Amino acid sequence: MLLTVDFSSEEPIYMQIRNGIVAGIAMGKLQDGDPLPSVRTLGGELGVNLHTVNKAYRLLRNEGFIRLLPSRGAEVQAGEAAKNAALFLDAAGNSLRNLISEAVTRHVDRSAIHAMIDTLYDELEGQKT
């Protein structure tokens, strides 16, 4: 799995893992039913504690991106995640509000934010295989 963590980032490692897997799903690199590395394997590959990976996997499960299967590990559940768009928009509202608040404070033009979002969205959609 092509996933990296930045140990110098202020973002918690478990969130970096979570966000990396979600990005993999968004780009089409991870499909429904694809197996994910075991907690132990991914922890070893990334050089992080097993509990950190476990926390990321639990969060992904709770958000509907993966399912945890007894004795079989974790697998992508991308189709279920897509059904939860309304929940995502509701949950993302606070993060987006903070980002927009800072943009307004810094006098960043609305069209620049729209262009950035469009570019990032197109970039992620374009990377689907």
Side-chain angles (χ1 to χ4, degrees):
M1 170 177 260
L2 298 174
L3 186 65
T4 59
V5 293
D6 178 0
F7 292 101
S8 64
S9 173
E10 290 185 22
E11 182 176 46
I13 293 170
Y14 79 94
M15 283 301 294
Q16 292 181 48
I17 295 168
R18 179 251 182 228
N19 293 342
I21 291 172
V22 171
I25 294 169
M27 292 183 286
K29 293 178 180 178
L30 294 172
Q31 304 286 323
D32 255 346
D34 284 353
L36 294 173
S38 71
V39 169
R40 186 174 306 281
T41 299
L42 187 56
E45 288 176 4
L46 297 175
V48 301
N49 190 292
L50 306 178
H51 298 293
T52 302
V53 177
N54 197 36
K55 186 172 183 177
Y57 276 13
R58 280 195 321 267
L59 180 59
L60 286 160
R61 180 201 58 208
N62 292 343
E63 293 174 333
F65 291 108
I66 68 171
R67 60 184 149 255
L68 300 176
L69 306 166
S71 74
R72 288 195 348 209
E75 69 178 29
V76 175
Q77 186 175 300
E80 282 300 308
K83 294 177 186 174
N84 295 322
L87 293 173
F88 160 74
L89 290 172
D90 187 46
N94 287 333
S95 296
L96 192 53
R97 179 179 303 282
N98 292 336
L99 179 72
I100 300 301
S101 295
E102 185 169 346
V104 168
T105 302
R106 294 177 183 272
H107 305 289
V108 175
D109 186 66
R110 177 188 306 245
S111 62
I113 297 293
H114 286 206
M116 180 184 285
I117 291 169
D118 289 341
T119 299
L120 293 170
Y121 203 99
D122 291 344
E123 192 176 285
L124 289 169
E125 266 197 330
Q127 292 183 22
K128 289 184 178 179
T129 54

